[in-house]
């Protein structure tokens, strides 16, 4: 377990996870139409990839030397009636066969079906425990829910109590409260694409308030220059760069 966690969270206690799992409910989302074309140039700068088994098997050359956090929850889509009412979509045996370093599962606290997602998540935590594979809980947020510190603290704490080894949540005002209440490492998702400067500021704020890193997708692969952007994000996470310094890196590396 510790060996696998050390592949995801690096020796400095930080991580830049590249999230490219969006297709499991969004289909060929902008920037990921041809996954490997997007992912290949980013691999040298990502600490791990978060994706589904379908993309891992079909699009990532097996010799690629990067840890994998495998999304194992799904079952609903952006066009269906119950977005994020997710269950287990991949067996532990297949995750082991794919030699992954971690499992990722979304829970939806506060939704009508929260019990389904939390119980399925607890099964994944048991599987992970049996085989020494850490589990990243994703605190999904429904369209009608508020992403504030009260809600995200609650969801993150519940995830840790059930057995998560790491939690992925959203950045919010008073983010330090989310960190204080969560006894396992926390990373932030990037969310919808925003200007590069703002995404770097958000990553910086999250790190300053105690996040161990980011699990960022669209704000990297939908950037006008994804390689420049991931280098800038790395500087914030691993080198304590200020948002201004990081934006300068983005510009120097060819970003607008
Ligand atoms: C959503 O749960 C997906 O798993 C994404 O991996 C996650 O939202 C992070 O990607 P983004 O930074 O694009 O929000």
């Amino acid at each position: 377990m510790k060996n696998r966690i050390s592949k995801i969270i690096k020796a400095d206690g930080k991580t830049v996870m590249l999230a490219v799992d969006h297709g499991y409910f969004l289909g060929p989302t902008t920037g990921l139409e041809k996954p490997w074309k997007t992912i290949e140039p980013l691999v040298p700068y990502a600490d791990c990839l978060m994706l589904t088994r379908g993309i891992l098997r079909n699009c990532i050359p097996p010799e690629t030397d990067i840890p994998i956090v495998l999304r194992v929850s799904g079952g609903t889509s952006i066009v269906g009636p119950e977005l994020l009412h997710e269950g287990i979509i991949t067996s532990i045996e297949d995750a082991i066969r794919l030699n992954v370093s971690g499992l990722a599962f979304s829970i939806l606290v506060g939704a009508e079906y929260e019990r389904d997602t939390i119980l399925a998540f607890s099964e994944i935590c048991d599987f992970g425990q049996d085989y020494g594979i850490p589990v990243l809980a994703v605190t999904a947020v429904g369209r009608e829910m508020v992403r504030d510190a009260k809600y995200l603290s609650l969801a993150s704490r519940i995830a840790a109590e059930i057995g998560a080894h790491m939690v992925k949540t959203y950045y919010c005002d008073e983010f330090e409260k989310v960190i204080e209440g969560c006894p396992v490492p926390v990373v932030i998702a990037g969310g919808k694409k925003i200007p590069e400067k703002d995404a770097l500021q958000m990553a910086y704020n999250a790190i300053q308030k105690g996040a161990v890193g980011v699990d960022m997708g669209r704000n990297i692969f939908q950037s006008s220059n994804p390689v420049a952007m991931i280098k800038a994000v790395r500087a914030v996470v691993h080198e304590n760069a200020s948002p201004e310094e990081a934006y300068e890196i983005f510009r120097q590396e060819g970003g607008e």
Side-chain angles (χ1 to χ4, degrees):
M1 182 70 80
K2 284 186 178 167
N3 175 266
R4 286 195 174 98
I5 291 174
S6 75
K7 292 184 194 311
I8 301 167
I9 300 175
K10 300 301 174 184
D12 64 355
K14 301 279 171 44
T15 184
V16 174
M17 303 172 69
L18 178 64
V20 286
D21 60 328
H22 303 61
Y24 88 97
F25 75 106
L26 287 175
T29 197
T30 307
L32 286 180
E33 297 90 343
K34 292 189 183 302
W36 185 236
K37 195 172 168 225
T38 302
I39 297 167
E40 185 179 15
L42 299 173
V43 164
Y45 311 104
D47 292 322
C48 70
L49 294 179
M50 178 192 184
L51 39 57
T52 57
R53 64 178 168 183
I55 295 303
L56 182 57
R57 283 207 194 108
N58 295 305
C59 307
I60 311 292
E63 60 277 10
T64 307
D65 186 16
I66 189 161
I68 299 295
V69 173
L70 190 70
R71 171 170 284 281
V72 295
S73 70
T76 57
S77 80
I78 189 76
V79 291
E82 280 198 319
L83 181 61
L84 304 172
H85 186 172
E86 297 185 2
I88 298 169
I89 56 166
T90 304
S91 70
I92 190 70
E93 289 79 10
D94 207 18
I96 294 165
R97 186 179 301 121
L98 291 165
N99 197 27
V100 303
S101 299
L103 306 170
F105 195 100
S106 289
I107 57 169
L108 195 42
V109 173
E112 203 183 321
Y113 41 81
E114 67 172 8
R115 184 170 186 273
D116 293 357
T117 62
I118 293 174
L119 291 185
F121 171 64
S122 75
E123 273 183 58
I124 290 296
C125 291
D126 285 337
F127 292 151
Q129 211 59 40
D130 284 346
Y131 297 100
I133 305 181
V135 179
L136 172 73
V138 178
T139 63
V141 184
R143 287 191 189 105
E144 67 293 348
M145 292 169 172
V146 187
R147 293 181 189 189
D148 61 12
K150 190 174 173 196
Y151 173 75
L152 296 173
S153 301
L154 173 84
S156 299
R157 176 58 172 266
I158 288 172
E161 299 255 356
I162 303 290
H165 301 87
M166 298 163 282
V167 168
K168 173 169 108 163
T169 193
Y170 290 95
Y171 183 72
C172 59
D173 289 340
E174 300 185 292
F175 185 70
E176 62 280 4
K177 289 188 178 163
V178 179
I179 298 292
E180 273 164 26
C182 185
V184 300
V186 175
V187 293
I188 60 153
K192 284 188 182 157
K193 174 77 177 69
I194 52 177
E196 279 78 0
K197 210 177 241 176
D198 297 344
L200 293 168
Q201 179 75 55
M202 179 173 67
Y204 175 81
N205 292 348
I207 296 293
Q208 295 307 307
K209 293 184 177 187
V212 303
V214 298
D215 184 11
M216 197 176 264
R218 289 163 288 181
N219 277 291
I220 292 174
F221 64 71
Q222 291 178 351
S223 167
S224 56
N225 190 325
V227 170
M229 185 57 180
I230 198 170
K231 285 183 177 178
V233 171
R234 273 198 86 77
V236 168
V237 172
H238 286 294
E239 290 154 34
N240 263 323
S242 68
E244 295 74 25
E245 289 166 336
Y247 190 67
E248 196 46 37
I249 291 171
F250 174 68
R251 280 165 40 87
Q252 280 170 10
E253 293 290 335
E256 63 190 3

